[in-house]
Amino acid sequence: MQTCRRYPVLLKEYKHRFLWWKWSTKGYKVKIINFNPHARVLYNQYVRIGE
């Protein structure tokens, strides 16, 4: 039996940046790492945060 191990990686994208300060989240970039070469994973690459 083969298992499909997936690990999601979320990268936060900020709306505003100034020097080293970051504030107000614009959205998240999603990347899924799949260790099964025979499996195909479909997913949204970007999640936008709305007001």
Side-chain angles (χ1 to χ4, degrees):
M1 183 168 104
Q2 247 183 1
T3 60
C4 187
R5 293 186 311 167
R6 296 175 300 238
Y7 293 107
V9 177
L10 294 174
L11 301 171
K12 192 181 214 182
E13 189 172 303
Y14 293 99
K15 233 183 223 185
H16 307 286
R17 294 179 192 179
F18 178 71
L19 297 176
W20 57 84
W21 293 298
K22 299 174 190 173
W23 67 93
S24 195
T25 303
K26 185 195 244 180
Y28 295 94
K29 289 185 181 179
V30 179
K31 183 169 182 160
I32 295 180
I33 301 169
N34 187 8
F35 292 102
N36 186 349
H38 304 291
R40 187 172 169 204
V41 180
L42 300 175
Y43 61 95
N44 291 334
Q45 293 182 346
Y46 188 76
V47 178
R48 192 175 76 193
I49 306 296
E51 293 182 39

